[in-house]
Amino acid sequence: MTPNKRATVAESAAAAEPVKDASALADPVAAMPIREGEDPWTAEEVQEVRADLLADIERLQKQIDSAEGDLAGLIRDGADSAGRDPADIGVANFERDQEMTLAHSAREALAQSRDSLRAIEQGTYGYCSECGEPIGKGRLQVHPRASMCVRCKQRAERR
């Protein structure tokens, strides 16, 4: 394992670990915002969202490690292009670009999952990053990484 890979794995493990002194933080269940007409969060629901985020972090880290390994192989194999058919070089370049895109997308999702987990632990989870209103319990249960309410997300996608 390379030093950079060790640092990445160590950083992801540290970011995924819960805060040790939970007494210093707000009660996660009490701090969870709800929209009008929603039932309050239960401890089990909050724990389920946390578990989903932790599983997401683990899955995404494995996906990144795999993509980086594949990418390293493609770069190593593509370094010696002398005498290769131009079509083979094009395919190799396409595969490299695809692996880079997959790794980048997984890194972004990993950062969102870590941010969401940290927000639960800090008692700030569930508020829209744009308008500050509650995102909505149902949306967060389906998409725990959501950082915007539906209205703000739709507006952002129209831009």
Side-chain angles (χ1 to χ4, degrees):
M1 188 180 287
T2 64
N4 288 344
K5 191 172 234 180
R6 258 187 245 127
T8 303
V9 172
E11 288 168 3
S12 68
E17 286 184 27
V19 176
K20 302 290 185 224
D21 184 14
S23 63
L25 302 175
D27 175 17
V29 177
M32 298 290 272
I34 55 170
R35 297 177 70 107
E36 190 174 316
E38 289 181 332
D39 291 330
W41 287 87
T42 65
E44 293 80 22
E45 290 168 335
V46 173
Q47 191 57 34
E48 186 176 317
V49 169
R50 268 187 102 259
D52 288 347
L53 288 167
L54 287 168
D56 217 22
I57 288 169
E58 185 177 334
R59 177 187 59 80
L60 289 164
Q61 188 61 58
K62 287 178 184 176
Q63 185 177 347
I64 290 167
D65 292 345
S66 174
E68 287 175 348
D70 292 347
L71 186 57
L74 288 169
I75 290 171
R76 183 181 53 248
D77 295 344
D80 182 25
S81 60
R84 290 179 56 198
D85 184 87
D88 291 339
I89 294 170
V91 168
N93 288 341
F94 175 78
E95 288 175 351
R96 183 194 65 229
D97 291 347
Q98 188 174 16
E99 287 299 325
M100 289 172 65
T101 300
L102 290 171
H104 177 74
S105 296
R107 279 189 203 96
E108 285 183 350
L110 179 63
Q112 291 170 352
S113 292
R114 287 178 177 161
D115 290 345
S116 295
L117 185 61
R118 195 173 304 113
I120 289 174
E121 293 167 350
Q122 294 173 348
T124 59
Y125 181 74
Y127 291 97
C128 179
S129 62
E130 294 293 313
C131 68
E133 295 295 318
I135 292 174
K137 182 179 172 181
R139 177 166 167 71
L140 291 171
Q141 287 176 317
V142 171
H143 188 63
R145 290 189 304 235
S147 63
M148 287 189 245
C149 66
V150 172
R151 187 180 71 225
C152 289
K153 183 66 174 174
Q154 288 172 337
R155 193 173 341 165
E157 288 178 353
R158 281 192 293 258
R159 291 184 202 152

